[in-house]
Amino acid sequence: MQLPEPTLRRLPWYLAYLGLLNQKGVEYISSTKISEELNVDSSQIAKDLSFLNIRGKTRIGYEVKALESKLRDFLGFACVHRAVMAGVGSLGEALIRDSGLQRYGLRISAGVDINPDLIGSTICGVTIHHPDKLPQLVKELDITIGIVAVPFESAQAMADTLADAGIRALWNFTPYRIRAREGVVITNTSIYSHLALIYNRLASQR
Amino acid sequence: MQLPEPTLRRLPWYLAYLGLLNQKGVEYISSTKISEELNVDSSQIAKDLSFLNIRGKTRIGYEVKALESKLRDFLGFACVHRAVMAGVGSLGEALIRDSGLQRYGLRISAGVDINPDLIGSTICGVTIHHPDKLPQLVKELDITIGIVAVPFESAQAMADTLADAGIRALWNFTPYRIRAREGVVITNTSIYSHLALIYNRLASQR
């Protein structure tokens, strides 16, 4: 089932909060308390969690451990999703080195780059290949996700190459607005837009 | 002036596209062409760019080089904004190593971490200190932005420590929903929410 984006944004907040409660040994939590802590309307929380077919018990609330585990499964964080890093410059290398992504189910299985100095090298066990190898890599390593971290001027061309190679989802880290073809999932992580937001808000405070 | 968030999200798209045109030697561009390329309504583009007091010329359009330069200035990417990395685990270290952020005006001037093995070490020229040093670092290095990359269970405490030290903006990379105090800017980069979105969309395609 295709969940609404705002729900998918909030569910990881609940998961992080439940993880915190679990560490503290808290066994049950009410939606009222979650609502206070995360500043989300409690009826909204109930609605978001109803997608998981989970309902709190009257006067007791939700069982922390069970909800945390169910939420992790539901969000796909407990499964392995294989990805290729397209562009192993500064950001691409940084993301390969970030082992935190693995805890959220993302395994970067290979990298591609046109830089001949990088081809054949490995970063944290991830081998870098020429983009020509993409169709073969996607098939042999069962890769579904392409992380786009090339310079923005090559973003669209790389997105097309990835789609041609059989990639089913693109995670775009460039500031370029990639157009995906029919049937290919696209998600943008707009680091630079967030910086622009911070700078604007800081400047407008002065 | 406090710009609307959607405008701040779109302006970096225009900047990336203008950069591409500039590289190709294109001198003028119409809002119609930008609209087609980026799939944004052309009246919306004109409205977004009017915040910069820039208007295209009839039948010629915008001057690419001038608009690119003005947009970069306007977004704050041409200035230096100093930041401290709070939490130098896997993601924190990766972000310090990502030199791309510097091209968007972000200079990470110091790091803090409670891990005694890290304190006193340097990563790409950035020295890691104990969080106790924050008030001094913020003052001496003229730091305005705190990047929160600690484990989520320490996110709120670290945010409070950063605010106490005089930090004016928090850039939250944890999945925890930090509450900022009055007057402190907060921006969330929800890497894990984006992963959840990708996983959900992939699963719902099957």
Side-chain angles (χ1 to χ4, degrees), chain A residues 96-116:
Chain A
I96 290 174
R97 289 188 186 279
D98 177 17
S99 57
L101 291 170
Q102 286 192 29
R103 286 198 297 275
Y104 291 85
L106 191 80
R107 184 167 307 157
I108 300 172
S109 304
V112 294
D113 204 291
I114 53 164
N115 182 349

Side-chain angles (χ1 to χ4, degrees), chain A residues 47-67:
Chain A
K47 206 174 154 189
D48 288 340
L49 293 178
S50 72
F51 285 108
L52 288 78
N53 286 321
I54 278 197
R55 273 179 189 77
K57 285 176 198 160
T58 320
R59 289 197 295 178
I60 300 178
Y62 298 97
E63 206 192 322
V64 171
K65 232 177 212 168
L67 183 54

Side-chain angles (χ1 to χ4, degrees), chain B residues 47-109:
Chain B
K47 205 174 155 190
D48 287 340
L49 293 177
S50 72
F51 284 110
L52 289 77
N53 286 319
I54 277 196
R55 273 181 190 76
K57 285 174 198 162
T58 320
R59 288 198 292 177
I60 301 179
Y62 299 97
E63 207 194 322
V64 171
K65 232 179 211 165
L67 184 54
E68 189 197 2
S69 157
K70 190 150 185 181
L71 203 44
R72 187 181 308 280
D73 278 352
F74 186 77
L75 289 172
F77 294 161
C79 295
V80 172
H81 302 80
R82 292 191 175 78
V84 61
M85 180 61 65
V88 192
S90 165
L91 178 64
E93 181 177 340
L95 290 169
I96 290 174
R97 290 188 186 278
D98 177 17
S99 57
L101 291 170
Q102 286 191 31
R103 287 199 298 275
Y104 291 84
L106 191 79
R107 184 165 307 158
I108 300 171
S109 304

Side-chain angles (χ1 to χ4, degrees), chain A:
Chain A
M1 178 186 29
Q2 196 152 329
L3 261 70
E5 279 200 42
T7 296
L8 282 167
R9 197 165 52 236
R10 285 186 296 264
L11 291 176
W13 298 345
Y14 308 154
L15 179 60
Y17 181 55
L18 289 163
L20 184 65
L21 292 171
N22 195 17
Q23 282 195 348
K24 285 183 179 168
V26 178
E27 287 184 61
Y28 290 93
I29 187 80
S30 67
S31 57
T32 318
K33 185 80 177 97
I34 305 180
S35 168
E36 281 169 20
E37 273 298 315
L38 304 183
N39 198 21
V40 176
D41 199 68
S42 67
S43 65
Q44 184 64 68
I45 295 171
K47 206 174 154 189
D48 288 340
L49 293 178
S50 72
F51 285 108
L52 288 78
N53 286 321
I54 278 197
R55 273 179 189 77
K57 285 176 198 160
T58 320
R59 289 197 295 178
I60 300 178
Y62 298 97
E63 206 192 322
V64 171
K65 232 177 212 168
L67 183 54
E68 190 197 3
S69 156
K70 190 149 186 181
L71 203 44
R72 187 180 308 278
D73 277 352
F74 186 77
L75 289 171
F77 294 160
C79 294
V80 173
H81 302 79
R82 292 192 174 75
V84 60
M85 179 62 64
V88 191
S90 167
L91 178 65
E93 180 178 341
L95 290 169
I96 290 174
R97 289 188 186 279
D98 177 17
S99 57
L101 291 170
Q102 286 192 29
R103 286 198 297 275
Y104 291 85
L106 191 80
R107 184 167 307 157
I108 300 172
S109 304
V112 294
D113 204 291
I114 53 164
N115 182 349
D117 295 341
L118 288 175
I119 295 165
S121 70
T122 63
I123 298 165
C124 299
V126 175
T127 305
I128 317 305
H129 307 264
H130 190 278
D132 285 350
K133 282 270 173 69
L134 270 170
Q136 191 189 334
L137 289 167
V138 167
K139 207 179 163 191
E140 284 177 6
L141 302 174
D142 194 21
I143 293 171
T144 49
I145 300 168
I147 308 174
V148 183
V150 293
F152 68 81
E153 56 273 23
S154 325
Q156 186 62 56
M158 181 50 89
D160 294 338
T161 306
L162 288 163
D164 287 342
I167 283 291
R168 293 175 49 222
L170 296 171
W171 191 7
N172 179 27
F173 276 87
T174 80
Y176 196 78
R177 203 176 184 219
I178 288 174
R179 282 165 304 173
R181 67 190 64 174
E182 184 82 28
V184 174
V185 174
I186 185 149
T187 307
N188 298 293
T189 294
S190 308
I191 289 183
Y192 311 107
S193 298
H194 296 165
L195 272 179
L197 182 66
I198 294 172
Y199 297 163
N200 177 262
R201 295 297 184 261
L202 279 175
S204 66
Q205 275 184 351
R206 280 193 194 122

